[in-house]
Amino acid sequence: AIALNGQWDAPAGDRIRARLMLGDAMLRLEPDAAEDHYRRLLAEVEQDEEVRETYMHLHVINGLLAALPRSAGAEQKLPIQEERLRIARAFYNPGTAGLSFNLGEVTHTLPEPGMLDRAEALARESMDAADASSQRPMLMRGMARCYLGLVLQQRGDHAGALAAFEAGDRMMSQQDDSKAAFARCLFAQAYSTAAVGRHADAQEVLRRSDALLRASLGATHTGIYVNCGFRASSHLRSGARSAASRAIGTCLPEDEAAMLLPWRQARAELLILDGEWDAASELLATLRDAYPPAGNQRDWMRPWMASILFAHLGDDAAAATGLRDQLADHANVQPIRECLAAPGEATCLALP
């Protein structure tokens, strides 16, 4: 299509649309080249009055954000998200699905720089827009509640997050074409479900997430291993250690890049409780390096709390003191503060 468009004076919309299709394919097949493709395409769109500040401009920005490496931080993403937000507000009318989607997607970037109040306000605005729209209502209204749940989860409000996730679940489960997005929301729902102690329910939610991921993205997608790792962690917290070992033993990723925090964290927790001290110490050190204390995130707490538990079980007061010193002011954040004050499985395996 791109080659054919080049043989005649194709309208800008047709040219951009063809390159967007190529970009979408590159995200799956050539991810390392996708970012450069979208940056070149964005520069072209910004110079073309026919497509600038239209839904195609937003599509290009969305593609660029998807193409950024996993290591890209908020300092790289936030300017792009701010431009996306400006264009979405200018292009879409209030109470539309397009506005709801773009408002909600911006919330993913805001917690890292500490903008949780703004993220929550945008998530609630996304809900209002979705509730007023008749376009794919169950999917859009459910996704808006997922955006809100994710923000509340970052605040440590698992009860509030769970209420939002479960409301979104009831809506999105009525929509046949919500597989991939729904699966990601279900993982977050399972996390908050386990955080409030409903581990059997969390296992069922993870099972549903797995089924959707396999149907839409395949059996080796990283989300499968994320679910698998958290399934083991949930089993562990409900006292089912053998089930935790079986769960993680059946999903060893061939690609080390698929071993994200939930999988590695579960592995570390099992090593600790099984008394495999050397392997646990090495893995925990790796996780602490990868997830240093950060005031506006909560994932980092899990390897640090597991490390405090490891020091406690090994009766290593020097290691415990060293961890406390490294945490500095972060030692006062719950639930890590309780883990430090009274280390044990109940406090240090709590889900932040």
Side-chain angles (χ1 to χ4, degrees):
I2 293 172
L4 288 172
N5 283 335
Q7 295 178 18
W8 63 293
D9 190 18
D14 289 345
R15 288 186 285 105
I16 298 301
R17 193 173 293 109
R19 292 173 67 189
L20 278 169
M21 292 171 63
L22 175 61
D24 288 346
M26 292 174 71
L27 286 172
R28 297 188 299 274
L29 304 174
E30 298 181 67
D32 292 341
E35 180 183 352
D36 183 60
H37 173 82
Y38 276 109
R39 288 195 181 279
R40 285 186 280 108
L41 185 53
L42 181 60
E44 182 176 328
V45 166
E46 289 172 342
Q47 298 302 314
D48 195 312
E49 292 185 1
E50 183 179 334
V51 293
R52 186 173 64 236
E53 300 192 0
T54 67
Y55 75 94
M56 279 192 283
H57 194 165
L58 289 166
H59 193 155
V60 174
I61 288 175
N62 192 45
L64 174 58
L65 287 162
L68 292 176
R70 188 177 288 121
S71 59
E75 72 284 350
Q76 191 173 351
K77 295 177 182 177
L78 192 55
I80 304 171
Q81 292 282 33
E82 294 287 9
E83 181 69 354
R84 172 196 216 161
L85 191 57
R86 183 190 67 79
I87 295 169
R89 289 195 185 282
F91 180 72
Y92 290 111
N93 290 323
T96 56
L99 180 61
S100 173
F101 171 76
N102 283 281
L103 292 172
E105 288 295 301
V106 171
T107 64
H108 296 317
T109 301
L110 298 179
E112 183 181 336
M115 303 168 73
L116 281 170
D117 288 345
R118 188 180 179 204
E120 183 172 343
L122 287 174
R124 293 189 184 281
E125 188 181 351
S126 173
M127 280 178 50
D128 291 342
D131 289 351
S133 173
S134 59
Q135 184 180 2
R136 302 175 76 190
M138 292 298 100
L139 173 61
M140 299 310 300
R141 293 170 192 175
M143 278 303 302
R145 283 153 179 82
C146 178
Y147 296 135
L148 177 61
L150 289 166
V151 174
L152 295 177
Q153 199 171 65
Q154 283 298 315
R155 289 191 181 280
D157 179 8
H158 288 296
L162 186 55
F165 288 135
E166 290 183 334
D169 186 354
R170 289 191 293 272
M171 294 173 179
M172 283 192 285
S173 61
Q174 301 177 47
Q175 189 84 30
D176 291 337
D177 60 347
S178 58
K179 292 184 176 65
F182 191 11
R184 290 188 289 272
C185 291
L186 286 175
F187 168 75
Q189 179 178 332
Y191 186 97
S192 284
T193 303
V196 300
R198 290 167 43 193
H199 292 286
D201 291 340
Q203 295 293 333
E204 172 58 20
V205 174
L206 288 169
R207 185 196 64 76
R208 292 168 56 213
S209 178
D210 274 353
L212 289 169
L213 284 169
R214 288 193 174 96
S216 57
L217 298 172
T220 59
H221 187 265
T222 54
I224 295 290
Y225 300 111
V226 167
N227 285 353
C228 172
F230 190 69
R231 178 177 294 109
S233 286
S234 178
H235 278 313
L236 206 57
R237 284 156 177 78
S238 66
R241 191 180 300 185
S242 60
S245 296
R246 287 196 302 272
I248 204 164
T250 59
C251 66
L252 181 64
E254 294 181 7
D255 180 3
E256 188 171 336
M259 296 181 185
L260 302 180
L261 175 61
W263 194 95
R264 291 176 182 267
Q265 178 72 25
R267 177 66 178 149
E269 291 167 355
L270 281 165
L271 289 172
I272 293 170
L273 297 181
D274 288 343
E276 298 187 37
W277 304 116
D278 291 343
S281 178
E282 182 179 353
L283 181 51
L284 287 170
T286 299
L287 288 173
R288 291 196 306 275
D289 286 343
Y291 297 91
N296 306 308
Q297 296 290 311
R298 304 189 70 80
D299 287 348
W300 67 267
M301 295 187 201
R302 294 187 63 200
W304 286 82
M305 291 165 69
S307 297
I308 295 165
L309 176 63
F310 179 67
H312 170 71
L313 294 177
D315 199 23
D316 190 340
T321 300
L323 290 166
R324 184 187 293 273
D325 291 345
Q326 291 176 65
L327 286 165
D329 290 343
H330 298 290
N332 294 318
V333 179
Q334 287 287 34
I336 206 163
R337 181 173 63 192
E338 190 172 353
C339 172
L340 282 164
E345 290 185 36
T347 55
C348 294
L349 293 183
L351 293 169

